[in-house]
Amino acid sequence: MTSVKDTSFGNPPLLEKVGAFTSIILYLPLFLGWTLINSPFHRTNKHKTWTRIVGDRLFYFLTTRLNMKQLQWALGDTLEVYKNYMEGQKLPLVIDELAENGRLLWIGERRTDRVILYFHGGAFLLPVPFFFLPFWKFVQSELEAKGKETGFALLQYSLVPTATFPTQLKQAVLAVQHLISMGVKPQNIQLTGDSAGGNLVLQLLSHMLHPVPDVPRLTITAPFSGVYLMSPWVSLTGKTGSMITNDDSDSIGIKALTYWGRIVLDGAPEKYHSYLEPYYAPEDWFVDLSTVVRRLFVTDGDAECLRDDIAVVADHLGKKHPRMQFILQKHGVHDDPYFDFLLWPQKVQSDLTPVILEFFASGFE
């Protein structure tokens, strides 16, 4: 008898729900307590505040101990996270419905003069984490203080296993086409994504250079102003040395990354793996990159499991694009700048954040 693949979202059996609750109640305090006791002797944690240590390793614990269904059940979906954040900030919901079940979720008003289009991380399995949104609201506020008011649009894309490649790519294309149909010029759009969202940005650029059949073509009248990739997930199979050496320092570990990668690749035809894993893309894959984007910026943390994978792809991109900037952040973990906004007080500690702000500011007139 052939087994039927479960493509439902976030419906763990009762026993797994109890297991998730038990892990958090019984084991999390012990894990965090030992982490803090050990932190003065740890090569990266000794350089951090206790709130950052707790935040980084809390995320590691949850993503390592809970399976996909448990995490989806606990975290909900991106629309729910967005609504909760906006209501907490007393901001109106501004939502654009797209085809293919996608949505653009705006923080603040819609704008057509300057737009950051954001693809969130979460391994294509999970919603945008709640603490990512205050980071981007901070970026938006800082740009406004510089006299560069900017619209910020978050793409809600469909999550695995309910949808597999190339659904998310189709939704990304439709998001850009929607902005252009509103009157936004490509040269006034900056794309950004972290982790799986960074992967999706690279998918979009790859599609523009090497169109995927059955995905709408994306042609633009001028290159995008900029692309910023924060800790992009460039290899879903991750076999480089940093996957092992940095497991005890990162906010996401090797167990979670390889488990999630198997799930995502399981639904994608092998012939499309260059889109999902740019680490293994052919040498000339990005040779015409400068025709679709004016500037590139990639950041990586030297304490993250994906460090070596990202560095290889960044080097490859730098050889194909004359305006590519790469920063390897000392003591940085996966998606490092976000973790300043996980626990109170929400205070910018990451030395990357000012550089990120300058990149976006310099890309807008």
Side-chain angles (χ1 to χ4, degrees), residues 130-178:
F130 71 91
F131 59 99
F132 288 18
L133 298 184
F135 171 84
W136 289 112
K137 184 67 176 71
F138 171 79
V139 169
Q140 188 182 45
S141 298
E142 291 296 300
L143 289 174
E144 182 177 355
K146 294 176 181 290
K148 298 188 177 183
E149 293 84 354
T150 302
F152 183 87
L154 156 67
L155 172 64
Q156 181 190 11
Y157 55 79
S158 300
L159 300 175
V160 175
T162 59
T164 57
F165 180 89
T167 300
Q168 297 81 11
L169 174 57
K170 290 180 181 178
Q171 293 166 327
V173 170
L174 292 170
V176 175
Q177 291 177 334
H178 178 75

Side-chain angles (χ1 to χ4, degrees), residues 178-297:
H178 178 75
L179 292 178
I180 292 173
S181 72
M182 288 172 51
V184 185
K185 296 178 181 178
Q187 59 267 36
N188 293 331
I189 296 174
Q190 300 200 62
L191 304 175
T192 189
D194 59 88
S195 196
N199 181 297
L200 186 53
V201 173
L202 289 172
Q203 283 186 43
L204 182 69
L205 299 178
S206 296
H207 172 63
M208 296 175 73
L209 300 174
H210 313 281
V212 177
D214 301 323
V215 175
R217 290 211 176 201
L218 179 60
T219 56
I220 51 180
T221 56
F224 295 119
S225 171
V227 160
Y228 168 50
L229 307 175
M230 180 193 295
S231 297
W233 197 21
V234 293
S235 171
L236 280 61
T237 49
K239 299 173 183 175
T240 53
S242 60
M243 289 288 285
I244 298 171
T245 59
N246 284 342
D247 185 69
D248 71 337
S249 61
D250 201 2
S251 56
I252 298 179
I254 184 173
K255 180 181 176 181
L257 290 167
T258 53
Y259 164 59
W260 294 342
R262 288 195 302 271
I263 295 172
V264 174
L265 286 174
D266 182 54
E270 188 172 348
K271 64 181 179 180
Y272 295 133
H273 283 195
S274 288
Y275 296 88
L276 283 164
E277 293 198 283
Y279 181 87
Y280 298 107
E283 179 68 25
D284 62 350
W285 190 254
F286 291 110
V287 70
D288 293 322
L289 194 55
S290 59
T291 64
V292 294
V293 59
R294 287 175 44 219
R295 305 169 307 125
L296 284 162
F297 181 32

Side-chain angles (χ1 to χ4, degrees), residues 43-108:
R43 67 186 188 282
T44 57
N45 287 343
K46 65 183 180 181
H47 301 286
K48 300 181 179 182
T49 65
W50 73 267
T51 54
R52 271 303 307 261
I53 296 168
V54 169
D56 292 354
R57 299 306 279 175
L58 168 64
F59 204 74
Y60 175 95
F61 179 90
L62 295 176
T63 54
T64 299
R65 296 290 299 228
L66 305 186
N67 65 33
M68 174 185 68
K69 295 291 188 183
Q70 290 171 318
L71 285 167
Q72 290 176 339
W73 167 69
L75 300 176
D77 65 23
T78 293
L79 182 61
E80 181 181 353
V81 174
Y82 168 76
K83 286 181 175 179
N84 289 339
Y85 174 73
M86 297 297 279
E87 289 168 4
Q89 296 294 308
K90 299 186 178 351
L91 294 171
L93 304 179
V94 184
I95 302 172
D96 293 347
E97 299 286 343
L98 307 175
E100 299 285 343
N101 296 314
R103 294 186 181 92
L104 278 186
L105 312 176
W106 295 81
I107 296 181

Side-chain angles (χ1 to χ4, degrees), residues 289-311:
L289 194 55
S290 59
T291 64
V292 294
V293 59
R294 287 175 44 219
R295 305 169 307 125
L296 284 162
F297 181 32
V298 180
T299 59
D300 186 4
D302 74 358
E304 69 171 297
C305 289
L306 295 176
R307 180 194 65 200
D308 295 349
D309 300 26
I310 296 168

Side-chain angles (χ1 to χ4, degrees), residues 28-41:
L28 179 59
L30 296 174
F31 177 79
L32 293 179
W34 172 248
T35 298
L36 287 172
I37 291 171
N38 184 55
S39 61
F41 313 102

